[in-house]
Amino acid sequence: MINIRRLTKTFFPNTPNEVQALRGIDLDIPEGCFAGIIGTNGSGKSTLLNAVAGTFEPDQGRILIDQQDITNWAEYRRASLIGRVFQNPFAGTAADMTIAENVVMAMRRGCSRGLGLALRRSVRDEIADRIRSLKMGLEDRLDNPIGTLSGGQRQALTLLMATWLRPRLLLLDEHTAALDPKSAAQVAELTLEIIRREKLTALMVTHSMQQAVQLPEHIIMMHKGQIVRQFGGQEKARVRVPDLLAAFDHVRRREQLDPAVAEILGRQYV
Ligand SMILES: Nc1ncnc2c1ncn2[C@@H]1O[C@H](COP(=O)(O)OP(=O)(O)O)[C@@H](O)[C@H]1O
Ligand SMILES: [Mg+2]
């Protein structure tokens, strides 16, 4: 369960470059919910994920995971609760290390013992088993450097590693956006499979309306640092891409409208 209260973040405050990236975000994500975040470029999607992951301190507001206030926790400490996958397939893994070594590092997050000890037979078997579930034939390439894999294979492995220890929260930031369409579809499918199997609570930023409709069970729409619309439950089940595009249009129209005119026209414009 994630609770976000009145979260704000302004970059370069009191300068000509000031950007109000988050303007009072309130959000509750129930245990086991897979939520998608959509929004125009620069609407604060990545900033919201970064604030939750602890990349920087917010100016105001609180972040709670399982009723525990983590707002002042350092990023490394939150990493014990949070798994992350970024857009860049090269970001989550060490290219010169083998598949097995990369996985063992993910398995041993927060532990200090050496890699050699960890690469015991039983551990190799466990790694091979889990990697087999990716259905990419990588279980036969455990000792190959991860740099020899395609972007899609690498992103699938990063996803597996980020969820290996079953994090309390999984954060995905456009993690299929840099892949070719076939790999993107494969990684998207794998994402849904892992989140369902492990019953994870997840927040996924996506640029793809199609993906937003197909994968998560809840949709959060952001605009200019605020959450402007959410689709949940039955409404989410029914929503299609044109509905999301219409909702964006509505937000833009509302933005252009004089507040006094909006008031005259009725509540749906406010
Ligand atoms: N580290 C940063 N320093 C300065 N400005 C930033 C930083 N991160 C994001 N921003 C700005 O904050 C706004 C929101 O950015 P971001 O959260 O990355 O948007 P999105 O992910 O929705 O495209 C943008 O105007 C962006 O330029
Ligand atoms: Mg972003």
Side-chain angles (χ1 to χ4, degrees), residues 20-224:
Q20 294 185 332
L22 298 178
R23 297 191 292 160
I25 299 286
D26 282 311
L27 184 62
D28 295 303
I29 306 290
E31 180 79 38
C33 176
F34 177 12
I37 304 180
I38 55 176
T40 39
N41 265 342
S43 56
K45 306 181 295 298
S46 296
T47 304
L48 177 59
L49 260 53
N50 287 335
V52 172
T55 310
F56 51 72
E57 269 190 35
D59 301 331
Q60 281 170 41
R62 314 298 321 162
I63 302 165
L64 285 80
I65 296 187
D66 300 333
Q67 273 100 52
Q68 196 164 25
D69 191 328
I70 62 154
T71 317
N72 299 322
W73 286 27
E75 189 169 17
Y76 75 88
R77 192 170 167 212
R78 296 187 203 195
S80 61
L81 302 177
I82 297 174
R84 298 189 81 178
V85 185
F86 298 93
Q87 182 172 335
N88 181 352
F90 307 114
T93 47
D96 295 339
M97 296 177 73
T98 67
I99 293 179
E101 287 165 347
N102 269 282
V103 170
V104 170
M105 293 220 299
M107 285 169 74
R108 301 182 59 75
R109 211 168 43 198
C111 300
S112 56
R113 280 191 294 167
L115 285 182
L117 182 67
L119 274 172
R120 299 184 314 269
R121 187 82 241 153
S122 61
V123 175
R124 282 188 73 93
D125 288 347
E126 190 199 343
I127 293 173
D129 278 351
R130 288 230 214 169
I131 287 182
R132 195 170 293 116
S133 75
L134 298 177
K135 299 184 197 88
M136 290 179 161
L138 298 177
E139 60 277 11
D140 302 324
R141 298 170 60 184
L142 292 188
D143 296 318
N144 290 12
I146 225 165
T148 61
L149 306 187
S150 72
Q153 291 172 328
R154 217 160 146 172
Q155 205 63 328
L157 259 181
T158 306
L159 185 62
L160 189 68
M161 284 162 52
T163 54
W164 200 282
L165 297 177
R166 199 173 177 277
R168 300 299 304 160
L169 174 64
L170 177 65
L171 299 177
L172 308 165
D173 195 350
E174 304 204 28
H175 69 306
T176 67
L179 305 177
D180 64 87
K182 187 159 168 264
S183 303
Q186 220 173 354
V187 171
E189 195 182 316
L190 183 68
T191 303
L192 193 56
E193 213 175 278
I194 291 178
I195 288 174
R196 284 208 178 131
R197 189 179 62 222
E198 304 287 334
K199 300 187 172 55
L200 298 175
T201 309
L203 268 177
M204 177 187 75
V205 173
T206 179
H207 65 292
S208 157
M209 296 300 119
Q210 197 65 45
Q211 217 173 58
V213 165
Q214 284 172 354
L215 301 185
E217 60 196 282
H218 189 94
I219 299 178
I220 296 154
M221 187 177 276
M222 288 187 69
H223 185 64
K224 295 197 170 168

